[in-house]
Amino acid sequence: MSHELKTGGDRGYLRIATEEAFATQEQIDLILKMVKEGRADRGTTSLWTFYGASNDERAQLTTKRLLDLGETRIADMDATGIDIAVLSLTSPGVQAYDDVDTAKRVCVDANDILADACKAYPTRYVGMTSIAPQDPEWSAQEIRRGADLGFRGVMVNSHTHGEYLDNPKFDPIFRALADTGQPLYIHPSPPPDSMIGPMLEAGLDGAVYGFGVDTGLHGLRVITSGIFDRYPDLQMILGHGGEALPYWLFRTNFMHQAGVRSKRYECLKPLKHDLFHYMRNNVIATTSGLAWEPAITMAMNVMGDDRVMYAMDYPYQYIPDEVRTYDNFNISDEAKKKLMQTNAERIFKL
Ligand code: MN
């Protein structure tokens, strides 16, 4: 142990954790009911059979912590020196539900519960709005209601029944984001049935690998569909070091341009800028689950040190030693303060 973890900025910066999850009992109960009745997709079944119904100690503790927005969570934040948690409804939100009215009802309740928690701990919690993309127009209204409730961003847990946000039917969601000046966070979800087969076969469908593949694809689909040409000020946040997009950017950009020039795909249209531009003007990476200096400094080098933000991914990776790892990073004091505090303050307008 190299140093004690405290809140209050004793290291020269506050720690703002930006991908912190909560759940509601109703949300989990309904997911488990769908799993039990065989109505959930394969990925949701794989994930929630573990977190919601297994005897594994880490799984049970995680679910207990997800449900708490009170003193236990605050005590855990104090113990790890987290000053502010940016909270969102845990994956898959309400996006896995097959009944749209149920999804909307659970979503509204979750947003209200989060708004109450943010009111109870105004200096510790910041909220993001959850939506039910199953109904894009309704989701646009809920984004506007969330902004009125004081939320500072919108959380989408990757695909919704195999559909991605670049589908033109989701445009009302982007319009509402642009109108309210809020960032979009695309968080992982279990990959859809059309993708997950070979991953499940090898036990690699979840956070170990499948999440990153699906969410990186989602982010890239949003970029290459030209959404940032239509909404040039919009900011899209991707966790887990930007879901590997910074690492692959040179090749992705080269092959994207070659693909556009060849007119090989009807869907691949010319963009106003190259992919480097969007990664440096519209995408923010968080460090959730990736407390690893080589990957984080690489993302900073590619995207700029204004575009990488700290996240713990509580309660899934509630590990005090990870916080110390960040404190001990061999980067400048200025870059560390941006990473831990001021980038989040700018992006979420705190
Ligand atoms: Mn997460």
Side-chain angles (χ1 to χ4, degrees):
M1 188 175 104
S2 57
H3 57 281
E4 198 187 337
L5 296 174
K6 286 187 216 158
T7 59
D10 66 320
R11 314 266 320 164
Y13 45 85
L14 299 176
R15 297 186 194 85
I16 303 178
T18 55
E19 190 199 291
E20 315 307 303
F22 80 102
T24 68
Q25 191 64 58
E26 189 182 30
Q27 177 204 14
I28 292 180
D29 289 348
L30 284 169
I31 290 170
L32 292 178
K33 188 163 181 271
M34 280 183 59
V35 168
K36 209 171 152 196
E37 293 171 2
R39 290 185 289 121
D41 66 17
R42 298 178 73 191
T44 304
T45 303
S46 169
L47 189 72
W48 282 95
T49 303
F50 178 67
Y51 278 111
S54 82
N55 291 322
D56 182 85
E57 197 188 326
R58 184 183 148 258
Q60 288 185 354
L61 205 60
T62 299
T63 304
K64 205 173 140 223
R65 285 188 168 126
L66 278 171
L67 291 166
D68 181 84
L69 283 169
E71 289 305 316
T72 304
R73 184 179 293 258
I74 295 290
D76 285 349
M77 287 168 64
D78 289 343
T80 38
I82 302 300
D83 294 276
I84 297 173
V86 183
L87 297 166
S88 50
L89 187 64
T90 200
S91 182
V94 299
Q95 293 168 240
Y97 297 147
D98 47 8
D99 181 73
V100 183
D101 289 331
T102 303
K104 292 182 204 174
R105 180 172 53 76
V106 177
C107 187
V108 166
D109 288 349
N111 286 332
D112 288 345
I113 287 169
L114 181 57
D116 286 346
C118 292
K119 249 177 244 151
Y121 301 98
T123 61
R124 307 303 297 278
Y125 292 165
V126 172
M128 279 193 268
T129 306
S130 276
I131 59 174
Q134 294 95 321
D135 186 338
E137 286 290 351
W138 180 89
S139 292
Q141 286 171 33
E142 189 64 3
I143 288 171
R144 294 186 165 92
R145 190 179 80 94
D148 292 341
L149 287 171
F151 294 150
R152 300 304 173 91
V154 173
M155 175 56 87
V156 169
N157 295 287
S158 197
H159 69 93
T160 304
H161 299 293
E163 290 185 321
Y164 294 84
L165 289 175
D166 59 291
N167 185 320
K169 77 186 215 183
F170 295 119
D171 189 62
I173 293 171
F174 288 103
R175 216 180 320 119
L177 284 162
D179 289 349
T180 56
Q182 295 184 88
L184 168 70
Y185 202 125
I186 302 186
H187 184 279
S189 188
D193 284 350
S194 53
M195 182 192 286
I196 203 169
M199 296 175 177
L200 268 176
E201 200 175 272
L204 299 174
D205 53 300
V208 58
Y209 189 69
F211 284 8
V213 173
D214 175 67
T215 314
L217 171 70
H218 198 156
L220 195 55
R221 285 182 67 139
V222 168
I223 296 169
T224 57
S225 69
I227 280 170
F228 297 116
D229 288 343
R230 294 210 303 282
Y231 301 104
D233 295 329
L234 182 69
Q235 300 298 313
M236 173 174 73
I237 307 169
L238 297 172
H240 318 99
E243 308 294 4
L245 295 184
Y247 189 82
W248 283 348
L249 185 57
F250 182 87
R251 188 167 204 247
T252 309
N253 183 62
F254 181 92
M255 287 299 174
H256 174 256
Q257 295 195 331
V260 170
R261 272 196 307 272
S262 72
K263 301 191 168 62
R264 180 175 156 194
Y265 299 97
E266 165 67 23
C267 59
L268 220 50
K269 301 275 194 322
L271 300 175
K272 281 190 185 156
H273 307 281
D274 66 8
L275 301 188
F276 283 89
H277 174 94
Y278 302 107
M279 289 298 286
R280 290 169 177 166
N281 290 275
N282 301 100
V283 181
I284 312 284
T286 79
T287 66
S288 47
L290 197 69
W292 193 35
E293 191 170 326
I296 291 169
T297 50
M298 200 266 166
M300 286 173 163
N301 285 337
V302 171
M303 301 168 73
D305 64 11
D306 289 332
R307 310 197 74 82
V308 183
M309 302 192 294
Y310 170 66
M312 175 183 274
D313 205 10
Y314 180 96
Y316 296 99
Q317 283 193 228
Y318 174 56
I319 302 167
D321 270 346
E322 281 195 356
V323 181
R324 285 191 194 94
T325 301
Y326 286 92
D327 290 339
N328 293 332
F329 271 4
N330 187 24
I331 59 176
S332 73
D333 291 347
E334 195 198 350
K336 203 178 289 181
K337 186 164 182 166
K338 287 181 178 181
L339 172 69
M340 302 304 289
Q341 176 183 349
T342 54
N343 288 343
E345 287 173 339
R346 186 183 81 251
I347 297 300
F348 293 109
K349 300 184 179 139
L350 305 183

